[in-house]
Amino acid sequence: QQQVKQSPQSLIVQKGGISIINCAYENTAFDYFPWYQQFPGKGPALLIAIRPDVSEKKEGRFTISFNKSAKQFSLHIMDSQPGDSATYFCAASSAAGNKLTFGGGTRVLVKP
Amino acid sequence: DTGVSQNPRHKITKRGQNVTFRCDPISEHNRLYWYRQTLGQGPEFLTYFQNEAQLEKSRLLSDRFSAERPKGSFSTLEIQRTEQGDSAMYLCASSDRTTYNEQFFGPGTRLTVL
């Protein structure tokens, strides 16, 4: 059972554009929602994370928007750069288990 | 801070052989996690330790898989009688006692079973 659904599977954006990736979850016990960035052959790197007591969190060019009632959250990459070309994963965990449940990933390609 | 390290980075083995992977977490991190990632998919949880205690195991962790963290520092993941379906990237992550949810991943061990 896929508890975190991520879309789109792939995304092409022009340099300077905005990349938007969406995730939806089912388990209402989830209370921590991180995003990871992964380059080929590397492990996932923590990018930004949010808890459900806030609706938005911004760090540099990366913003998470969170909608608790809809059980959805999204990542916005502003001013996308070729170096942002990577696979992005949303994830979720609860205080009880702490294990991360990942979405299926979004492959982002930023064209110069 | 040297980050999470994993060895070997790549392992090629023949079906039926046993393999063992090692993970060294970030110093002072008391939680250590193992995940498996197949091509084009997100990582899937296998098991985790708090200090030396193994607190949870996924149903993905069949009887052929065993993980240990004997002194609460490094961990090993052993796969016995490997099968072609075991081919994947095996990822290790660690977190500390104050921010359990922030997990930092190592580079992974890519296993290929021929």
Side-chain angles (χ1 to χ4, degrees), chain B residues 32-98:
Chain B
L32 187 149
Y33 305 79
W34 285 99
Y35 293 83
R36 181 173 69 186
Q37 184 177 27
T38 53
L39 204 60
Q41 302 296 319
E44 294 176 294
F45 169 79
L46 293 178
T47 187
Y48 88 94
F49 295 83
Q50 180 166 305
N51 299 313
E52 65 276 6
Q54 188 173 17
L55 297 187
E56 187 174 350
K57 293 193 294 185
S58 163
R59 285 176 291 179
L60 292 174
L61 215 64
S62 75
D63 291 344
R64 298 184 296 105
F65 288 71
S66 62
E68 294 183 342
R69 195 183 182 196
K71 297 184 179 179
S73 56
F74 73 91
S75 174
T76 58
L77 177 68
E78 181 183 16
I79 308 175
Q80 296 182 326
R81 305 181 303 281
T82 52
E83 302 173 355
Q84 287 187 325
D86 297 331
S87 295
M89 175 80 88
Y90 290 85
L91 294 162
C92 176
S94 70
S95 64
D96 73 18
R97 63 182 73 249
T98 60

Side-chain angles (χ1 to χ4, degrees), chain A residues 4-60:
Chain A
V4 180
K5 294 184 179 180
Q6 184 171 345
S7 64
Q9 287 186 315
S10 62
L11 182 59
I12 299 174
V13 62
Q14 294 294 322
K15 179 182 175 181
I18 303 173
S19 303
I20 301 174
I21 306 170
N22 301 298
C23 283
Y25 63 97
E26 300 168 2
N27 187 346
T28 55
F30 287 150
D31 61 1
Y32 174 75
F33 303 89
W35 286 88
Y36 283 83
Q37 178 189 57
Q38 187 175 32
F39 293 104
K42 307 291 186 182
L46 181 61
L47 200 58
I48 185 173
I50 197 168
R51 295 188 185 275
D53 52 346
V54 297
S55 60
E56 186 174 283
K57 183 174 181 180
K58 183 177 181 180
E59 289 185 2

Side-chain angles (χ1 to χ4, degrees), chain A residues 61-72:
Chain A
R61 297 184 293 108
F62 301 92
T63 300
I64 300 179
S65 297
F66 185 81
N67 186 328
K68 186 174 181 179
S69 60
K71 294 188 286 186
Q72 295 175 348

Side-chain angles (χ1 to χ4, degrees), chain A residues 32 36 38 93 98-100, chain B residues 31 35 37 56 101 103 106:
Chain A
Y32 174 75
Y36 283 83
Q38 187 175 32
S93 70
N98 297 125
K99 63 185 178 186
L100 290 169
Chain B
R31 284 202 173 184
Y35 293 83
Q37 184 177 27
E56 187 174 350
N101 294 110
Q103 296 182 24

Side-chain angles (χ1 to χ4, degrees), chain B residues 5-18:
Chain B
S5 62
Q6 293 187 245
N7 289 288
R9 294 293 311 278
H10 304 274
K11 178 71 176 178
I12 299 174
T13 190
K14 293 182 178 179
R15 187 178 56 181
Q17 298 295 304
N18 299 343

